Amino acid sequence: DIQMTQSPSSVSASVGDRVTITCRASHDISSWLAWYQQKPGRAPKLLISRASILESGVPSRFSGSGSGTDFTLTINSLQPEDFATYYCQQPNSFPITFGQGTRLEIK
Amino acid sequence: EVQLLESGGTLVQPGGSLRLSCAASGFTFSTYAMSWVRQAPGEGLEWVSSISGTGGSTYYADSVKGRFTISRDNSKNTLYLQMNSLRAEDTAVYYCAKEYVGGVWFDYWGQGTLFTVSS
């Protein structure tokens, strides 16, 4: 199984800050990585697929990069609606696995 | 507009059975693979099972293999998850999710249905 490890587990930031979340895969997954945002009581929302492809309607302040085993999600100029939990996910092979999540909190 | 609506959540005793349903609309259901993803209270996301568009291929997490069965009825645009031999650790919100074409990531999710396994 491919293990996905996110860091940090939580981060505090202010509106306007830039935040970077990392995700590391236990095996090479090329660019097969997705990022999701989840707000309390809501279903996850797909932000980025194939490591760096922004989904339609997702603000351009979100960006993803990386390949192989190391990936990052960057949020520039944080907005109040961005405070949520973020998950990475590998779609490379079954069993599909998610990172443990990174909670982005308001400082 | 793509819509996924889960149903079937309730309280079940350990060892019991339950079937979840997910009614899909707004897309050609038979074209897309579908999955179930669960989230235990206060925990992260856990993939449970996937099924191909035709229903001919199915995949399961080790934690549910042999106990859960995923299926679909393309004539009714409905996805199912039959869950047997339920355990307390199966307690979670269960989401159905539509898979992207060409990759097992999830571009649309239902609102989730919660069920609890408890005596």
Side-chain angles (χ1 to χ4, degrees):
Chain A
D1 297 5
I2 299 175
Q3 307 302 317
M4 307 300 292
T5 304
Q6 287 181 233
S7 61
S9 295
S10 65
V11 57
S12 296
S14 301
V15 172
D17 285 353
R18 177 183 180 181
V19 168
T20 297
I21 299 168
T22 65
C23 179
R24 174 163 289 177
S26 61
H27 298 79
D28 187 337
I29 57 171
S30 185
S31 296
W32 293 101
L33 186 96
W35 288 100
Y36 300 87
Q37 176 193 67
Q38 187 180 33
K39 297 181 179 180
R42 304 289 299 273
K45 173 186 175 183
L46 178 64
L47 297 176
I48 289 171
S49 61
R50 294 191 192 95
S52 61
I53 299 175
L54 209 61
E55 287 299 293
S56 175
V58 175
S60 59
R61 62 181 178 272
F62 290 89
S63 64
S65 64
S67 66
T69 60
D70 294 309
F71 302 87
T72 60
L73 172 69
T74 300
I75 313 171
N76 288 302
S77 187
L78 276 170
Q79 298 300 300
E81 60 267 29
D82 299 336
F83 292 93
T85 300
Y86 293 85
Y87 295 92
C88 61
Q89 176 235 327
Q90 66 83 12
N92 183 71
S93 62
F94 291 103
I96 305 304
T97 45
F98 291 87
Q100 80 278 14
T102 296
R103 185 175 179 181
L104 175 55
E105 300 174 316
I106 300 175
K107 183 181 289 183
Chain B
E1 177 190 6
V2 172
Q3 291 193 343
L4 300 170
L5 184 61
E6 302 96 337
S7 61
T10 186
L11 175 65
V12 180
Q13 292 191 336
S17 297
L18 186 68
R19 188 177 82 162
L20 302 181
S21 300
C22 173
S25 61
F27 63 103
T28 306
F29 183 67
S30 60
T31 299
Y32 294 90
M34 299 290 294
S35 288
W36 290 96
V37 176
R38 69 184 180 182
Q39 187 169 35
E43 302 295 324
L45 300 170
E46 180 188 16
W47 170 79
V48 173
S49 183
S50 294
I51 187 168
S52 63
T54 63
S57 297
T58 57
Y59 308 87
Y60 297 93
D62 285 347
S63 58
V64 306
K65 199 173 295 183
R67 300 188 300 122
F68 290 12
T69 302
I70 191 171
S71 62
R72 64 193 297 160
D73 185 337
N74 287 343
S75 68
K76 296 182 178 179
N77 290 350
T78 303
L79 176 72
Y80 302 101
L81 186 67
Q82 176 67 42
M83 303 180 290
N84 299 327
S85 303
L86 285 165
R87 307 166 179 166
E89 55 265 36
D90 296 318
T91 296
V93 173
Y94 284 70
Y95 296 100
C96 71
K98 171 183 168 291
E99 292 184 20
Y100 207 86
V101 173
V104 189
W105 54 79
F106 313 111
D107 55 356
Y108 289 94
W109 298 64
Q111 85 289 349
T113 186
L114 169 66
F115 82 89
T116 302
V117 182
S118 175
S119 55

